Amino acid sequence: MELDGRVAVVTGGTRGVGAGIAGAFARAGATVVACARRPPEVPLPGVEFIGLDVRDAAAVGEFFATVASRYGRLDTLVNNAGGTPHRLLREAGPERHARVIELNLVAPLTASLAARPHLDASRGSIVMIGSVSGTRPSPGSAAYGAAKAGLESLARSMAVEWAPRVRVNTLVLGMVRTELSALHYGDQAGIGAVGRTVPLGRLAEPSDAGDAAVFLASPRAAYISGASLLVHGGGERPAFLDASRADLPGGPADLPGGSAEEPGGPVDLPGGSAEEEARRRRRDGA
């Protein structure tokens, strides 16, 4: 298999996106170690669990020494651990926002520094798990978005400083369907409506992130470093397309040669019906 004989560490690899990534590496033939503060509710096939708080620098150093001693090498570090509650900036003091930045930016730096000597020996790679929140405004998760933007910048600098022996790349993830999706999007109907706003028509599955991470860690990506791979199903439909009403007087239908029914007009763009349904649900309290 593609990663036979390789050893991979996935931080936060016990549920959600992290579990999807750990599972993908195991299916590709790698020996996988997942670390988190709590063990998985159900053991993941082919994945060893070691408890770790990635914010504890001393414990992180001991963890990577243990992995290298037990398995004789380390080939890939996936910095996945992270997250944030929904919290407007004014709703908390700076210390709470600083904790979000610590988990999502400082902890990946700490893990990468501890793993670097082992990755250098194996000519391995690091995969940072970023987010579209770091590429656009993120009201309600501003500190998280800032941390993810910083993580992407950190990866590009690492890719230069640690070349040619260690490659460093970022997966920039969009919306992913996990066991926590209902907290963000509501019931199944709400999740479906949100998914239909994505050009590919659905939320990502954790395995989608896992397959992309395996690619970046594999020999097929041997010349890819300092890159950001967008895994977001085509991104977000531009808001101006919803604000524009080409079917009203003064729109393209009233211009010489114009027609609101021409292919490519707002009525033909994918995602329109889902967004209208989502707006209806919000308006009606559904």
Side-chain angles (χ1 to χ4, degrees):
M1 298 173 71
E2 194 157 24
L3 297 182
D4 278 351
R6 308 290 181 92
V7 177
V9 164
V10 182
T11 69
T14 59
R15 65 177 185 174
V17 171
I21 293 172
F25 272 85
R27 290 191 296 275
T31 296
V32 184
V33 180
C35 61
R37 288 184 296 169
R38 293 180 294 274
E41 294 182 1
V42 178
L44 301 174
V47 178
E48 179 185 359
F49 169 75
I50 297 179
L52 177 68
D53 184 342
V54 293
R55 296 168 297 185
D56 184 337
V60 168
E62 293 175 4
F63 166 80
F64 282 103
T66 296
V67 170
S69 174
R70 183 175 301 176
Y71 297 106
R73 61 186 297 146
L74 175 63
D75 299 277
T76 301
L77 165 63
V78 181
N79 277 310
N80 166 76
T84 184
H86 184 276
R87 181 184 293 128
L88 296 175
L89 286 170
R90 66 175 181 271
E91 294 177 347
E95 69 284 349
R96 285 188 175 270
H97 297 303
R99 289 178 65 184
V100 172
I101 294 172
E102 178 187 20
L103 175 61
N104 291 280
L105 177 57
V106 179
L109 172 59
T110 300
S112 298
L113 288 169
R116 189 206 62 79
H118 310 295
L119 295 171
D120 189 82
S122 66
R123 300 187 74 93
S125 70
I126 296 172
V127 179
M128 304 291 197
I129 303 302
S131 169
V132 293
S133 293
T135 67
R136 54 158 170 73
S138 298
S141 57
Y144 175 79
K148 290 300 188 180
L151 188 66
E152 197 170 349
S153 176
L154 175 64
R156 288 193 294 266
S157 294
M158 279 184 177
V160 174
E161 288 196 18
W162 295 355
R165 300 190 66 85
V166 179
R167 297 185 299 108
V168 187
N169 293 291
T170 304
L171 285 186
V172 182
L173 300 183
M175 297 180 289
V176 183
R177 181 170 182 152
T178 71
E179 58 268 33
L180 300 179
S181 292
L183 297 178
H184 300 282
Y185 311 125
D187 59 13
Q188 291 301 314
I191 292 172
V194 171
R196 288 190 294 274
T197 68
V198 178
L200 288 188
R202 64 175 177 86
L203 304 186
E205 297 293 336
S207 59
D208 293 318
D211 290 341
V214 166
F215 164 69
L216 287 178
S218 76
R220 299 189 186 197
Y223 199 65
I224 300 176
S225 192
S228 296
L229 177 59
L230 294 168
V231 183
H232 59 7
E236 298 178 352
R237 177 179 164 89
F240 79 85
L241 294 175
D242 295 323
S244 171
R245 293 298 306 276
D247 56 328
L248 294 178
D254 292 332
L255 297 176
S259 169
E261 298 297 324
E262 289 178 355
V267 296
D268 294 311
L269 291 171
S273 61
E275 289 164 5
E276 290 169 6
E277 173 65 13
R279 286 197 297 272
R280 183 196 66 75
R281 289 169 59 83
R282 289 194 295 270
R283 183 179 66 245
D284 297 341

